[in-house]
Amino acid sequence: GGELGRQISEEDRLLSAAHSQAQRENELVRARAYALQLRDKAREFARRDAKSRTQVVRLTERVDELSRQLERGANHVAIHDYIKNVTLKLFTMGDEVQPALLPMVATLMQFAPEETAAASAAIKKRQSMMRMLGVSGNAAWALEALGVTPLPPPTNSLLPSSPLPDWLPPRPAGPSAQNSADVLPAAAGAPIA
């Protein structure tokens, strides 16, 4: 009786120990599986994070590009308005403002120095013709288009060939004395250099 009871109790202890060991191994297997799941999730999060960072960089670059395009578009509108105003003044104001407008038009149209010089010479020729013939700017243009050239200035020795003497009063100020900033409205508040 006693020996049998000890054997049963030893077997129960071994069975209990084996059962506990099996439970620990089972928990260890579950813990390893959980650790593998966590590792896989961490890798997936890292992959998504890298992808998100790449997307953020791309989106930031795109926003910067769109901002530059928007700024260029706004600049194009301002430049267009400025060109429109300068051109309108060129055609609606008298010929006396053309010399003041020429540098702006030359800059806007990116004239070469020789083109600017040719335009300046044409303006001076037209103004000279107007003074000699005593006609308005439109009439001078019409005469020039018809090929009419002004006569050379008279060579009368009674007429002074040099500028007016200091004792004569200065010529009255007219529209040609206006500053080009008074003639042209600012386009979108930004000067074009």
Side-chain angles (χ1 to χ4, degrees), residues 83-167:
I83 291 172
K84 181 178 85 172
N85 288 331
V86 169
T87 305
L88 183 63
K89 295 299 177 191
L90 185 64
F91 289 117
T92 59
M93 301 300 291
D95 285 338
E96 64 275 356
V97 296
Q98 287 183 347
L101 292 175
L102 179 59
M104 289 177 258
V105 172
T107 300
L108 291 170
M109 297 294 125
Q110 299 176 350
F111 284 3
E114 56 274 359
E115 293 169 324
T116 303
S120 179
I123 290 169
K124 287 177 184 173
K125 178 182 172 187
R126 191 172 300 107
Q127 287 178 335
S128 172
M129 181 186 298
M130 288 171 27
R131 279 191 298 274
M132 284 187 221
L133 297 175
V135 294
S136 71
N138 291 337
W141 283 13
L143 290 173
E144 186 178 319
L146 293 172
V148 175
T149 56
L151 297 173
T155 57
N156 186 342
S157 61
L158 298 175
L159 294 176
S161 59
S162 61
L164 295 175
D166 291 339
W167 51 268

Side-chain angles (χ1 to χ4, degrees), residues 8 18 37 51 55 58 67 105 111-112 116 131 136 161 163 180 185:
I8 290 179
Q37 287 176 351
K51 185 177 179 182
Q55 287 176 343
R58 285 184 188 149
S67 294
V105 172
F111 284 3
T116 303
R131 279 191 298 274
S136 71
S161 59
S180 63

Side-chain angles (χ1 to χ4, degrees), residues 43-61:
R43 286 181 180 167
E44 178 66 19
F45 287 143
R47 187 185 64 75
R48 286 182 186 175
D49 184 54
K51 185 177 179 182
S52 294
R53 288 176 192 259
T54 302
Q55 287 176 343
V56 165
V57 168
R58 285 184 188 149
L59 290 173
T60 302
E61 290 170 352

Side-chain angles (χ1 to χ4, degrees), residues 51-80:
K51 185 177 179 182
S52 294
R53 288 176 192 259
T54 302
Q55 287 176 343
V56 165
V57 168
R58 285 184 188 149
L59 290 173
T60 302
E61 290 170 352
R62 182 68 178 143
V63 166
D64 291 344
E65 178 185 337
L66 290 173
S67 294
R68 285 190 297 273
Q69 287 177 358
L70 183 62
E71 186 176 316
R72 280 194 300 266
N75 286 343
H76 286 304
V77 169
I79 290 170
H80 175 268

